Every structure is written in C-alpha cells, then in structure tokens.
Amino acid sequence: MQKLAIIASHPIQYYAPWFQYLSSTTTLAVKVFYLWDSGITQKVDVGFGKAFQWDIPLLTGYDYEFVANISPDAGTHHFWGLQNPSLISQINNYQPDAVLLMSYNYASIYHFLLCWNYHQIPLLFRGDSHRLLSSIGIKAWVRRQIITKIYQRFAACLYVGKANYEYFRYYGVAAKRLFFSPHAIDNDRFFAQAEIAKEQANSWKQEIGIPKDHAIILFAGKFEAKKRPLDLLQAFLQAKLHRVSLLFVGAGILENDLKSQAAGYANIYFAPFQNQSLMARTYAIADVVVLPSYGNYETWGLAINEAMCLSRPVIVSNHVGCAQDLVHPGKNGLIFPAGDVLALTHILQEAFSNLERLHNWGQESRNIILEYSYRQSTQGVTQALDSIMNGQTKFT
C-alpha cells in the first residue's frame, strides 16, 4: 500500500469530500496535513468580509493532522499567512511514498520545497492557475523563470482543465508529466438534494419577494472587484428583460456599491451569504447562473460545477478558468469577453429570448458535469503515481 501525504492550506468544502473519496475507493493510505484551521473554526474570510465556518463535516472519512501555524496574521490571503516550522518533520514522521501539494505560494511551502529531498520521495502538484489574461515585460519574464524552476521539483503535475494544462506547458512542464485530474465538487450530494432544493427555492423566492412569474439571474459568491458583480448589474439594467429578476447572494467589499447602484431600480434583490447546506437551494432558485470574473484570479469557478449539478444553464466570462471545459456555447450556456458590459448585455438578452431553450441548456449542464467528478480526479492521481513509481516519469 502506497502512502500519500497531502499538504493543504486548510479544510476546504470542495477538497475534503475528495479526500474522503481517495481514502475509501483506492488502495492508497492517505493522510492530509493542514496548515491552518479555517473552515472548521470560525474565521474572518477576507473576501466575504465576515466570520463563518462551514456547516458540513470536513474532517471525517480520512486521516489528517494539523501543522502548527505561527503566522501572526494567519490565512491564505497573503504569502506569510502560512508559517509552519514543523511541516517537514511531521511529513517525515509519516514516511510517505509521495507527497501531493495543493498549493505552493506561501512561505511555509516554499521552505518545504527548498528543503525536501524530492529525488528520494517524489512530489506531485495539483494546481488550477491559468494565463487567460497574459502579461508581458521584464517582470513577467522573471516570473516565468522562477515558476519554471519551481515546477522542475515536481515529478508530476495534475491539471484540472484545458487552460490549466496550457499554463503548465508554458512553464516548462513536459506533457508526459501532466495528468488530468479535473476540478470537481461533491456531485452526489448536490444530486441528492436537487428535488428538495427546488421546493425550498420556491418558498425562498416568496420570502425574498421576487414575483412568482419572474425568471431569475443569479450571482452567488463574494462581492469583490475580480468577480465583477457590478458588470452584471449594469448589463442587467441595460438588457431591460421582461419578467426577469436579478438576485445577488453573498457578501463582500462591494456590497454597499451594489446596493447603492441598484437603488431605485425594480427587480434587483439581495440575499446574505449562504452556507454549504443551503447552496443547493441557492442554485435551484436560478434560471441562469452568471460568473463575470475578470483577470487570472478566477482560476476555475467551482460555483459553476455546483450550478450545473442543479441542472442550471451558465454564463461565464472568457477569463473564468472552467469556461473551455464546462461551458459549451449554445448547448448549456454562453461565454462573453471579460469586462465587456455591452457583450454581457447582449448575452443576457440572447439567453432569455427562448426560455424553453434555456431550460434545455440546464439539462445539458447536468450531463456535462457527470464527467467532472471525484472519480475522474482520483484517476489522475493514481495514474501519476503509477507513472512515477514505474519510472516512466523523469525529472527534466
């Protein structure tokens, strides 16, 4: 039995169920090493601007241990937020056959990479970055040299989608060292909740005050600049859609701006942050889900996975990492140029020009998301490990 150590920043609602799946469906002995305890204890999330903890179990069904974090400002919002001096010794005590890193851009993990004997015990990396908005100049050149050196320490890299694959190739990772491990959520949990979520959504719609005969455009997430909720607000106002409401669900620094700009207009509604147990209901209320993010920050957009599990059509900008993989224009949704409010306006008008077609797009979303599950994610891990252990994957 191979022993796999996984280094993760903190318990995350998308990853913990996958770790459970890895532990229960493979012959691997899996142990997760967490560098921070956010998610299971109440902590302030910088993006949401409020303290919360997830309301689903994140520490059951797999082996784990926490690594003491001595950072005076602990968190994943800055480089020095993870400082874990005992990380290497705790990993060594586990005596793994391989180590999988879920991120690297923190002080603690850089130290680990510099000191770890990766020739003796190989490293894997699963990332989701992309270069959909590319940069040029001397800083970009220096960055490329540094990141290329970092990836040379990994025996294999797991890519989550097409944009992420191109990112790894740009930074010099050979194709033979790349293994497909798609971004996924706990599909089964959302599938199981789908029917009751629809009933709950009908009641919630009434509570919010949205007219019964209105279709709903949903934005669910952090109200922050990189996610561009203000673009969606302006596009909605310009689209002048008949019997359609816009619902913002979440919290964040732009909340006051959104509410100020929405004041005086009809059919725009707000609901507070919804925890994980209510997310199925959140998507079930929607007729279409929109993620208009700009830049390289929306590395994937797992909210789109969630929405598709609830058979929802989706609209995303072309800077959203999952766009090339999950959104098939004219089949389950539409894609528009990031930051282009006029294009988004036309996209909304196109989507609601045929409500029957919009419904059919939602059904296709569910078909597509079946191929983005923990089963496929796990296959990538096991294929990478097999390649490493059989000597097929060499360092470059």
Side-chain angles (χ1 to χ4, degrees):
M1 179 178 288
Q2 292 178 344
K3 297 173 69 174
L4 177 66
I6 300 176
I7 300 176
S9 58
H10 60 290
I12 296 173
Q13 72 273 27
Y14 304 119
Y15 290 165
W18 182 41
F19 298 154
Q20 296 167 9
Y21 185 94
L22 272 170
S23 296
S24 64
T25 64
T26 71
T27 59
L28 296 171
V30 175
K31 187 167 189 176
V32 182
F33 293 81
Y34 285 120
L35 309 185
W36 185 39
D37 63 354
S38 179
I40 58 161
T41 59
Q42 193 165 80
K43 295 280 194 289
V44 174
D45 183 284
V46 174
F48 281 120
K50 60 175 295 180
F52 71 94
Q53 67 186 81
W54 297 118
D55 63 357
I56 59 172
L58 299 180
L59 297 177
T60 59
Y62 63 97
D63 195 11
Y64 69 90
E65 66 182 66
F66 284 91
V67 185
N69 184 6
I70 65 170
S71 173
D73 182 19
T76 55
H77 57 290
H78 68 119
F79 178 80
W80 298 104
L82 301 180
Q83 297 182 50
N84 310 80
S86 64
L87 175 60
I88 292 177
S89 62
Q90 287 183 236
I91 298 287
N92 274 325
N93 289 339
Y94 180 58
Q95 297 182 331
D97 296 293
V99 182
L100 169 62
L101 277 71
M102 305 296 288
S103 61
Y104 71 81
N105 203 23
Y106 300 101
S108 208
I109 302 180
Y110 268 101
H111 178 261
F112 176 86
L113 287 172
L114 287 172
C115 299
W116 187 257
N117 185 346
Y118 57 90
H119 288 287
Q120 182 177 354
I121 301 176
L123 300 176
L124 294 82
F125 178 69
R126 185 173 187 262
D128 58 6
S129 297
H130 61 66
R131 298 185 66 257
L132 295 174
L133 182 62
S134 59
S135 56
I136 58 175
I138 186 63
K139 287 185 178 180
W141 181 87
V142 171
R143 174 181 171 82
R144 185 176 187 179
Q145 308 313 305
I146 293 172
I147 294 177
T148 298
K149 289 291 186 184
I150 291 171
Y151 287 144
Q152 288 175 357
R153 292 178 175 267
F154 294 98
C157 291
L158 307 171
Y159 67 95
V160 299
K162 295 175 182 177
N164 183 221
Y165 177 88
E166 294 301 327
Y167 172 91
F168 280 127
R169 296 291 288 126
Y170 176 80
Y171 287 108
V173 182
K176 66 181 180 181
R177 291 169 51 215
L178 287 168
F179 299 86
F180 184 45
S181 178
H183 251 324
I185 63 163
D186 190 355
N187 289 358
D188 290 342
R189 177 167 69 88
F190 279 86
F191 292 156
Q193 295 175 351
E195 289 306 315
I196 187 66
K198 292 175 185 176
E199 298 176 13
Q200 294 171 338
N202 289 331
S203 300
W204 192 36
K205 186 175 183 178
Q206 187 175 0
E207 290 173 17
I208 295 172
I210 300 174
K212 186 176 181 180
D213 64 342
H214 274 215
I216 296 176
I217 299 168
L218 173 69
F219 175 98
K222 298 174 181 177
F223 301 160
E224 55 187 353
K226 64 186 180 184
K227 289 186 179 289
R228 294 294 185 113
L230 289 168
D231 285 4
L232 177 56
L233 174 60
Q234 292 305 313
F236 175 76
L237 294 175
Q238 294 176 27
K240 296 180 169 45
L241 302 168
H242 182 54
R243 291 208 299 261
V244 178
S245 290
L246 173 61
L247 174 60
F248 288 102
V249 177
I253 193 170
L254 293 180
E255 184 169 353
N256 290 337
D257 288 342
L258 280 166
K259 290 182 175 178
S260 175
Q261 292 190 29
Y265 293 99
N267 304 327
I268 302 172
Y269 301 85
F270 292 85
F273 163 84
Q274 305 291 298
N275 215 315
Q276 277 296 296
S277 64
L278 293 174
M279 286 312 297
R281 182 192 71 169
T282 301
Y283 296 110
I285 202 173
D287 292 273
V288 66
V289 175
V290 182
L291 186 56
S293 303
Y294 186 97
N296 289 326
Y297 308 101
E298 196 70 75
T299 52
W300 182 260
L302 284 162
I304 298 301
N305 294 61
E306 293 176 330
M308 291 172 64
C309 283
L310 268 293
S311 302
R312 292 302 175 252
V314 290
I315 295 173
V316 303
S317 81
N318 61 348
H319 287 179
V320 174
C322 71
Q324 298 178 51
D325 302 88
L326 297 186
V327 187
H328 302 181
K331 293 185 178 180
N332 77 311
L334 296 165
I335 302 172
F336 71 96
D340 190 334
V341 173
L342 182 59
L344 178 54
T345 300
H346 292 162
I347 285 284
L348 293 177
Q349 292 169 336
E350 170 66 15
F352 284 94
S353 66
N354 187 327
L355 292 180
E356 181 179 357
R357 182 187 62 181
L358 193 63
H359 174 76
N360 292 337
W361 285 359
Q363 299 306 306
E364 184 60 22
S365 278
R366 193 183 189 283
N367 294 333
I368 293 169
I369 207 63
L370 291 173
E371 299 302 316
Y372 289 79
S373 70
Y374 290 147
R375 181 174 65 85
Q376 284 87 353
S377 303
T378 299
Q379 285 178 350
V381 174
T382 56
Q383 288 169 0
L385 287 171
D386 287 346
S387 178
I388 293 169
M389 299 308 171
N390 292 333
Q392 297 170 7
T393 300
K394 304 290 186 182
F395 289 102
T396 59

